[in-house]
Amino acid sequence: MADRILVAYATRYGSTAEVAEAIGDELRKAGVAVDVQPVSEVQDLSPYRAAIIGSPIYVGKWLPEPQVFIERHQQHLRTIPVAYFAVGLTAADGGPEILRKAEAAMDQVRMLVTPVDIGIFPGRLESGRLSFTDRTIIKLIRAKTGDFRNWEAVRTWAQAVHSKIAPL
């Protein structure tokens, strides 16, 4: 029987990977066996009794990689508890309309596999690490740079998700 939890993610500049690692660390503290890996490296879901899948929100949407992963594995994912998380700069503002838009970024994957929970977290933006195109977009939209991640919120969410995906 599967006894591990998968935390799979996509990332562009590493912020979402760090959030995924923090989620995995929190689950490990609860005594759970966890694998944290990019969605592109996950081939077999049979070792997992639950999955937590995350992506940054980029131009209002999840990256394509986790969407393709969920499409490819949706039959299996529908048989286990699944949670989604998104990391995005707009979540730093935290207003209800902003959070609704962040949730909407997950609409497509939520139609494929219904999650037991979703988490939305502010991200990090370091303009020096961005591609030329992304730097140009950031300048045009006047996005704030900095690290806006709330690690306590990530840990609290991971604990709440653990209670929803823990074995009966």
Side-chain angles (χ1 to χ4, degrees), residues 66 93 95 137 160:
D93 296 336
I137 291 169

Side-chain angles (χ1 to χ4, degrees), residues 55-114:
S55 174
I57 298 173
Y58 185 74
V59 193
K61 297 181 181 179
W62 263 28
L63 293 181
E65 297 91 332
Q67 291 183 43
V68 169
F69 173 82
I70 292 165
E71 288 171 8
R72 187 173 1 135
H73 296 286
Q74 69 180 305
Q75 279 192 304
H76 185 83
L77 290 170
R78 287 179 176 167
T79 67
I80 62 175
V82 174
Y84 298 137
F85 71 95
V87 178
L89 287 177
T90 56
D93 296 336
E97 181 64 20
I98 297 292
L99 293 177
R100 189 194 66 69
K101 285 182 180 179
E103 280 188 31
M106 293 182 259
D107 282 352
Q108 188 173 2
V109 294
R110 289 167 72 183
M111 288 189 301
L112 294 169
V113 177
T114 303

